[in-house]
Amino acid sequence: MDIVMPKLGIMLKGKIVKWLKAEGDYVQAGEGLFTIETEKVTHTVRSPVSGVVVRILHPQGSVVPVGQVVAIIQEGEAATVHVPADEERGIAARTVMYSIPLEGVKGVTAHRMLESSRKSPRAAVGLDILMDEAISIRKRMADAGKKISLTDLVIWAVSRSLEANRVVNSVALDDCVQVFEQINVGFAVDTPKGLMVPVIPEANKKEVTEIAALRADLTKRVQEFSHSETDITGGTFTVSNLGTLGIDRLIPIVNPGEAAILGVGRIGPRAIVRGGAVGIGQVMEVWLAFDHRAINGAEAARFLADLKNRLEDPKEGGLKE
Amino acid sequence: MRLLRVQFKDARHNLAFEEAMCLASGGPTLRLWRNPPTAVIGYAQFARAEVNLETCMQYGVQVVRRHTGGGAVYHDYGNLNYSVVVPRSSGIVKGKLSSVYRRLLAPVLLALEELGVAADIRDTNSVFVGGTKVGGSSAHLGETAFFFHGTLLLNADLTMLWRVLTPLKEYECPAGSVASRRVPVTNLSEVIGCPLNVPRLEALVVRGFEKVLCSHAIPTEPSREEMELEMNLFDTKYSRDWWNLEGRMGRDVRGQM
């Protein structure tokens, strides 16, 4: 539905002094949408319908003639409204697949967690992953001319594990957890200008070789600072690998707008127990840091267990060489 | 028409009550009130670009955002503030906004005329005597009511006014916010050249509004609804820095206004 600049008295145009909702926000019928000011008279324009604000056509501060469309609202319930992707600009779509109301135990947990840490309450879970099989697959693929890195393999596995554990691919807002439909995996890159997080859109729909190609390209672009805004927009989950810098384990800070981040440590030989005997295995330690409002410990643990299984036996986990 | 003399010692309560009046279903109302030393900024203003916050802190001047538009003003006990609520259906608030202001400022001009001061309206909604401003006004169009309020400088501390309303140079008014217009101001006591008979001016302002709104002003206590709304608005908004100083805009607003 088109929202137009209303007429106050016989005014011809109004200045939008505040947007009370942003694009992507849900607005209820009768709730304030924006405030206009004209000749020192303020007036809050309320939404005539319930739905999601899909487009704001005039930013704060614009003077808009009466009758002109200022915003578009897609009518519907909060949980079912689909926000179309901005294909023209090529931003990886990041739309809400479903919302989980923060009610009952989850609501109580959310509020307690928030109260205890004042901001988003963080927690982390970690485990060791045996990488012997992944390393040999990687070698086999390299021999066949398909070069992938272990980070590519981790991103591939993460995207599949997110698909199986949807709640990890989300963000906690004040009153709900929004679970995203797309799985857009960001990966932290140390660039001369600082930490950048380019995004692989819908990594779960890409094979590991595609992920490798895209990641190499994105890394190069952010390193050279020749990337576009779209390359670093729309992430729903982040992987931070400091293993290449020799770090055994890291518990990163969750990116704002996301609910979890995976810290990947170095792969190295460790003593492991196999069939009652001590042997040597190539082990990688991973930690999932998460916003406890969105994800519970058990959910985080299930995600990590899924990731471990996939990386310890990538073929079984669905990897196509 | 109800006549309220509700006045708090804390300016934030006074401004919260203004919005409460506008939201409550109290019918046509006139409120006369005063504020302690306060910089009152307009709804869409950027506090730092309008007010010298350091000076305010130094002199104990409060900074409070109002829910109506326009620029920053300075209040102290040397100001007289008046507020009016009329239903949106009332004929007095129909037509051009400049005409609405003219009709609602007429009682003030009438009162000043009685005191022998020839005042006129300039810049749509300011009261001028000669070339000098003695009062301003602004408004809010609510769901059911039109809310209008204004202030008159009787014998305010003008040195403090300029100290407070001279922001530090480095703070520029950001795009999208409303900048104040800085014009010469004076006190009515200066204009008259003798101490002002304030109770008489108040009585004249009341009489002026009675005439223009064709309604007798009956002194009343605020309604329970108004007091509850005031308390709620104070707790959630007017006692908060995000409202008074930041007036948070954009993405992080999350419908808080």
Side-chain angles (χ1 to χ4, degrees), chain B residues 134-152:
Chain B
V134 295
S137 66
S138 59
H140 175 81
L141 180 65
E143 289 307 290
T144 54
F146 188 90
F147 175 88
F148 164 80
H149 61 182
T151 187
L152 277 176

Side-chain angles (χ1 to χ4, degrees), chain B residues 189-200:
Chain B
S189 56
E190 290 283 321
V191 175
I192 296 171
C194 64
L196 207 66
N197 183 343
V198 179
R200 175 138 189 265

Side-chain angles (χ1 to χ4, degrees), chain A residues 7-11 15-25 30-32 34-46 60-62 173-174 178, chain B residues 43-44 65 67-71 88 95-98 101 124-126 137-143 146 176-178 243 247-251 253-255 257:
Chain A
K7 195 171 167 170
L8 305 191
I10 63 156
M11 76 172 203
K15 180 177 189 176
I16 298 173
V17 289
K18 261 176 205 151
W19 274 106
L20 305 178
K21 294 284 170 187
E23 282 185 2
D25 281 354
E31 208 183 338
F34 60 99
T35 304
I36 53 174
E37 181 169 334
T38 182
E39 295 184 71
K40 302 187 188 182
V41 179
T42 51
H43 176 62
T44 296
V45 178
R46 290 168 195 284
Q60 216 152 266
S62 351
L173 302 179
D174 286 346
Q178 291 188 336
Chain B
Y43 176 83
R65 187 182 300 274
H67 75 296
T68 57
R88 264 178 80 160
K96 267 167 93 171
L97 287 173
S98 56
Y101 276 118
T124 311
N125 52 4
S126 295
S137 66
S138 59
H140 175 81
L141 180 65
E143 289 307 290
F146 188 90
S177 71
V178 172
W243 167 254
R248 262 200 235 159
M249 299 184 185
R251 182 91 211 154
V253 135
R254 297 241 164 260
M257 288 191 195

Side-chain angles (χ1 to χ4, degrees), chain B residues 126-193:
Chain B
S126 295
V127 180
F128 275 73
V129 175
T132 317
K133 186 171 172 174
V134 295
S137 66
S138 59
H140 175 81
L141 180 65
E143 289 307 290
T144 54
F146 188 90
F147 175 88
F148 164 80
H149 61 182
T151 187
L152 277 176
L153 290 163
L154 311 183
N155 50 5
D157 181 346
L158 297 184
T159 309
M160 190 60 81
L161 180 150
W162 287 116
R163 253 186 215 145
V164 163
L165 298 185
T166 305
L168 294 177
K169 261 192 196 145
E170 57 261 39
Y171 297 111
E172 278 181 23
C173 189
S177 71
V178 172
S180 299
R181 285 170 43 122
R182 287 180 169 75
V183 294
V185 293
T186 192
N187 278 312
L188 279 166
S189 56
E190 290 283 321
V191 175
I192 296 171

